[in-house]
Amino acid sequence: MDKQRIVMYFADLTHTGQLIATNIHPLAIGLVAAYAKKVLGDTVEVELFRYPEELRAALERRPPHILGFSNYSWNCNLAYEFAKRTKRQHPKTVVVFGGPNYGLSRQEQERFWHRYPLLDFYVVKEGEMSLVGLTEALVQYEFDVAALKGDGMAVPNCHYVQEGRFVSGPLLNRIKSLDEIPSPYLTGLMDKFFDNVLIPMTHTTRGCPFTCTFCTEGVSYFNKVVRRDNLDILALELDYIAQRVGTVQDLIITDANFGMFKEDIEKARIIAKVQSRYGWPRHIHVSGGKNQKERVLEVASLINGNMQVAASLQSTDKQVLVNIKRSNISVDQLNQVATAGNKIDANTYAEIILGLPGDSLKAHTQSLRDAVNAGLSFLRLYQLIMLYDTELNTPETREAFGLQTRFRVMPRCFGQYGLFDEVFPCVETEEICVAQRSLSAEDYLSCRELDLTVEIIHNVHLFRELFGLCKRFGFPWFDFLLQFHERRRGHGATLKQLYDKFRENNVRALWESEEEAQSFAQTHLEEYISNELGVNELFTAKAVAFFLLQDDLRSALFNEARRLMRELGRLDPVMSLYLDELKEFSRLRKGDILNTESDLEREFNFDFRVAMEQDFCVDPHDYVLEKPTVYRFSRNPEQQAM
């Protein structure tokens, strides 16, 4: 090969068929590119891509020597559609994949190569040093891939297939400090992604000390946490981002346990200074520390409560936790986290995954009960996805627990794209667990319906008035939700239809095989793009409930509250009037949310203004007014915009 510069394109593509599916800066390829520029210097020319349309234009203008793709479940097929067309048009371009969507076992890896045969190399684990090593090996062979493979050269951290033979290079030691990798922001590599759409990302640690079997960082390779030692770089990086971020109010920190380490206190102070200087970021998205909750709360307090405080439970069932090699904080500690988080106005949440090994209807219900009754602001409710590069996805784990799976189209991850005068459909699918020995398919659907109840009643805080009433009279909030849930189809035709449709959509969206899911989606692509198919069932039902069925839900829940007060011996004339007026007060505050017409006025017999200050945790008898008072309801422009 002559002395011309090596042209490298690195792409972390997002689907754009319906909207921008992955609206974040492509940090991973930025780090790989920054390290390549550091080591290889002026011998390489590097460009990064997020949008398929932009990559298309670049490939049609000039093919690179190396075309690298980040491979995740949400963009794998899209990357390969671009990769295979590039190989056909420009066979000498070396196509490299890297990322966690690959597999731990040889069986999984060989299956991957069978599905994606036109790739040249796969970079496993950390990519920075291995991509440089691969580039140096290609230079040594003058970019003759056939010759390199013919010699059986074992490139560290790289896999490839040669004439049916699987070749796996030795694993490199991990990077010792994140300071070894230049900031892709400070080197200007990320400038093109400040487009008022994509959310910037940064990281201050890499790796996780925990061994959760459902997580790609749970494997032993990533158990040592590598840190950024020079926090001046973080300060410079955040300042750089803040000056360019435009209207985007968010920041994502990709650390697996942000707030858990003592160094995170200083990081929080750095963020607080940036907030003070620029009014950014207003929302910080992190995966909070799994333990050291006092420190996590201190970090959240330092950055003005703009960071959500997580209790990453996944499940509270002891046997499930053993099965997934995880330990949690106790329920008492969970209550303390929720209480402390509320004091500093930090949103507290828990993650619950349905379908983990050993899960059951009873276990899932108890997990929801523990999280809701702890007082956490909201729950993130997930289905178990069979992620590659996790112990849970291996054939051994599937067999041990009798995991039964189905395939579905990933929401927003589909579209119609073009390259080299060819237009093609592309769809991403994922595999989820829908049953196992301890969880029947019927119980799985019952759990999903219970998740919907928690989503539309607890998570939205739409009926905070009733939450306060239950708290005042010592009745667990989750038990109140459960009473409604058990009669959910008896509260009128619209709510029955909501749950029936939700259940139907959970079944209809699943396929026995990936091939069936792909075939159906590609032949019905317009319906997916137009939202008729391929939506998130839980969030769709939540939107219907919030925008169209608020009055029906309110009537049902206030009827449940009346029944509860009667059972507790509290339903006297004052309580009865309070429930009637509180229902109307709630409707005027939150109902008909899209109506921006003139203000409304109503007369009430209770001091609802003071009751609101007490989060409605009041005895109505103490808040009866001497004479009825008129309340006026309006929405300001900021609320309407939100």
Side-chain angles (χ1 to χ4, degrees):
M1 182 177 177
D2 59 27
K3 296 298 183 180
Q4 66 175 314
R5 298 172 80 187
I6 301 166
V7 178
M8 295 177 164
Y9 291 171
F10 294 121
D12 183 354
L13 297 180
T14 176
H15 279 272
T16 57
Q18 188 181 63
L19 46 77
I20 297 173
T22 313
N23 61 328
I24 55 179
H25 285 202
L27 177 64
I29 59 172
L31 294 166
V32 171
Y35 189 81
K37 289 284 291 180
K38 170 188 171 182
V39 177
L40 301 174
D42 290 338
T43 64
V44 296
E45 178 184 339
V46 176
E47 190 169 358
L48 309 182
F49 299 90
R50 170 59 98 194
Y51 299 118
E53 298 77 12
E54 188 183 10
L55 179 60
R56 173 187 183 175
L59 288 171
E60 292 177 347
R61 181 177 65 250
R62 179 180 62 164
H65 297 95
I66 295 175
L67 176 58
F69 291 94
S70 279
N71 175 29
Y72 299 100
S73 59
W74 53 82
N75 66 6
C76 180
N77 292 331
L78 180 58
Y80 188 67
E81 292 296 336
F82 272 78
K84 71 181 183 182
R85 285 168 174 80
T86 301
K87 287 298 288 185
R88 291 169 182 167
Q89 188 80 6
H90 302 288
K92 291 185 179 180
T93 292
V94 181
V95 174
V96 184
F97 267 38
N101 193 44
Y102 184 54
L104 292 181
S105 68
R106 177 62 63 85
Q107 180 179 341
E108 295 172 272
Q109 293 167 357
E110 290 182 346
R111 188 184 305 125
F112 182 91
W113 282 98
H114 179 74
R115 289 188 56 197
Y116 305 107
L118 295 181
L119 304 182
D120 291 310
F121 300 96
Y122 202 102
V123 171
V124 299
K125 309 305 181 189
E126 288 187 330
E128 289 87 2
M129 290 189 293
S130 46
L131 194 282
V132 167
L134 174 60
T135 303
E136 291 172 339
L138 288 167
V139 170
Q140 179 183 337
Y141 278 85
E142 296 186 334
F143 277 73
D144 188 338
V145 173
L148 186 156
K149 291 184 176 182
D151 285 349
M153 184 176 184
V155 183
N157 280 36
C158 289
H159 292 181
Y160 63 84
V161 173
Q162 172 68 3
E163 296 181 352
R165 184 170 62 95
F166 185 90
V167 179
S168 171
L171 275 181
L172 291 165
N173 292 326
R174 291 180 58 205
I175 282 176
K176 294 180 180 179
S177 169
L178 294 182
D179 294 342
E180 296 178 32
I181 310 172
S183 166
Y185 287 101
L186 298 180
T187 54
L189 285 166
M190 308 294 281
D191 283 358
K192 67 190 298 184
F193 303 115
F194 290 107
D195 61 358
N196 289 320
V197 174
L198 301 179
I199 300 171
M201 303 173 74
T202 189
H203 74 334
T204 67
T205 65
R206 181 185 291 182
C208 179
F210 304 104
T211 58
C212 307
T213 64
F214 57 84
C215 178
T216 58
E217 288 192 305
V219 297
S220 59
Y221 180 86
F222 288 112
N223 282 162
K224 182 180 179 181
V225 177
V226 178
R227 295 174 171 83
R228 180 178 293 287
D229 301 308
N230 184 359
L231 294 184
D232 290 342
I233 299 299
L234 175 65
L236 291 170
E237 190 174 72
L238 292 179
D239 195 82
Y240 187 95
I241 294 171
Q243 294 181 46
R244 293 161 176 79
V245 74
T247 58
V248 175
Q249 298 295 316
D250 305 66
L251 171 69
I252 297 172
I253 301 174
T254 66
D255 301 25
N257 294 282
F258 188 75
M260 194 173 80
F261 305 107
K262 62 179 186 233
E263 299 90 347
D264 294 337
I265 299 294
E266 181 57 31
K267 297 170 194 173
R269 293 192 178 107
I270 290 171
I271 295 171
K273 289 179 181 178
V274 174
Q275 288 177 319
S276 176
R277 191 178 303 126
Y278 298 102
W280 175 92
R282 293 184 61 183
H283 311 289
I284 301 170
H285 306 277
V286 300
S287 178
K290 310 302 185 289
N291 55 32
Q292 300 290 339
K293 290 301 179 184
E294 296 81 2
R295 186 175 291 149
V296 173
L297 288 164
E298 183 180 356
V299 165
S301 176
L302 285 169
I303 53 181
N304 307 310
N306 290 342
M307 176 187 110
Q308 296 171 344
V309 177
S312 301
L313 301 176
Q314 319 311 341
S315 174
T316 61
D317 184 82
K318 292 181 179 179
Q319 188 56 53
V320 171
L321 295 175
V322 169
N323 295 342
I324 62 174
K325 299 182 180 180
R326 181 184 178 87
S327 60
N328 277 343
I329 60 174
S330 68
V331 173
D332 286 342
Q333 290 173 312
L334 186 63
N335 285 309
Q336 293 169 16
V337 168
T339 301
N342 291 335
K343 286 181 179 178
I344 62 172
D345 292 328
N347 278 328
T348 55
Y349 71 92
E351 297 169 332
I352 304 291
I353 300 177
L354 169 61
L356 290 166
D359 208 357
S360 64
L361 176 57
K362 179 180 178 182
H364 186 68
T365 302
Q366 187 61 45
S367 295
L368 296 175
R369 182 191 304 277
D370 291 336
V372 168
N373 284 344
L376 295 166
S377 302
F378 63 98
L379 275 59
R380 290 180 176 170
L381 304 169
Y382 299 113
Q383 295 161 280
L384 177 61
I385 302 172
M386 307 300 292
L387 293 174
Y388 290 108
D389 274 21
T390 65
E391 182 182 331
L392 191 145
N393 190 53
T394 59
E396 294 79 10
T397 302
R398 289 171 179 256
E399 174 61 28
F401 295 96
L403 303 184
Q404 300 176 35
T405 64
R406 293 292 184 271
F407 292 85
R408 67 180 180 188
V409 174
M410 297 182 69
R412 305 183 306 277
C413 294
F414 40 76
Q416 193 107 322
Y417 305 96
L419 181 63
F420 303 130
D421 298 322
E422 182 183 359
V423 176
F424 53 90
C426 186
V427 176
E428 310 293 343
T429 58
E430 62 187 359
E431 185 181 10
I432 63 171
C433 178
V434 298
Q436 54 186 281
R437 293 192 187 96
S438 58
L439 181 71
S440 68
E442 181 65 25
D443 283 353
Y444 170 83
L445 290 173
S446 296
C447 289
R448 286 287 285 164
E449 288 197 40
L450 184 55
D451 286 352
L452 176 59
T453 293
V454 172
E455 187 68 55
I456 63 179
I457 298 176
H458 176 73
N459 281 1
V460 183
H461 291 192
L462 191 57
F463 304 103
R464 194 71 180 176
E465 304 91 347
L466 296 180
F467 170 85
L469 190 66
C470 287
K471 185 177 181 180
R472 174 62 181 80
F473 291 104
F475 194 78
W477 178 235
F478 184 79
D479 289 356
F480 180 76
L481 301 189
L482 207 56
Q483 286 187 359
F484 161 81
H485 183 77
E486 289 170 351
R487 288 185 279 266
R488 61 195 179 281
R489 286 182 169 82
H491 281 295
T494 57
L495 293 183
K496 179 180 183 301
Q497 184 180 19
L498 175 72
Y499 281 92
D500 287 348
K501 185 69 173 176
F502 177 71
R503 191 180 186 91
E504 174 190 329
N505 286 342
N506 272 270
V507 175
R508 182 179 65 132
L510 302 180
W511 303 89
E512 293 275 351
S513 70
E514 185 173 9
E515 291 72 23
E516 288 178 313
Q518 284 282 341
S519 176
F520 180 84
Q522 291 193 21
T523 55
H524 294 79
L525 193 58
E526 288 304 318
E527 291 99 311
Y528 279 90
I529 292 173
S530 66
N531 264 332
E532 294 176 37
L533 295 170
V535 295
N536 182 301
E537 301 90 5
L538 191 66
F539 290 160
T540 297
K542 175 181 178 178
V544 169
F546 185 81
F547 288 107
L548 303 180
L549 303 181
Q550 257 201 56
D551 288 344
D552 304 82
L553 275 171
R554 188 172 290 105
S555 293
L557 288 164
F558 272 85
N559 286 340
E560 290 292 343
R562 187 174 295 275
R563 179 184 287 110
L564 174 61
M565 291 298 106
R566 184 180 295 111
E567 292 172 355
L568 296 178
R570 300 281 184 175
L571 192 64
D572 59 13
V574 172
M575 178 63 77
S576 183
L577 178 62
Y578 178 77
L579 289 174
D580 286 341
E581 292 197 356
L582 186 64
K583 176 182 175 182
E584 178 67 1
F585 185 81
S586 172
R587 184 188 72 81
L588 291 169
R589 286 183 67 211
K590 291 166 284 191
D592 199 13
I593 196 73
L594 299 181
N595 185 356
T596 59
E597 294 181 358
S598 59
D599 300 350
L600 298 172
E601 293 185 351
R602 290 291 188 279
E603 189 176 79
F604 294 106
N605 290 284
F606 296 89
D607 194 340
F608 286 130
R609 181 184 60 81
V610 177
M612 283 177 59
E613 294 173 357
Q614 303 299 319
D615 202 15
F616 295 97
C617 184
V618 299
D619 184 334
H621 298 79
D622 299 331
Y623 291 82
V624 179
L625 295 167
E626 292 183 4
K627 61 179 181 179
T629 297
V630 173
Y631 289 77
R632 183 170 61 85
F633 300 82
S634 63
R635 297 188 182 98
N636 61 39
E638 183 179 354
Q639 290 170 323
Q640 293 174 3
M642 184 185 300

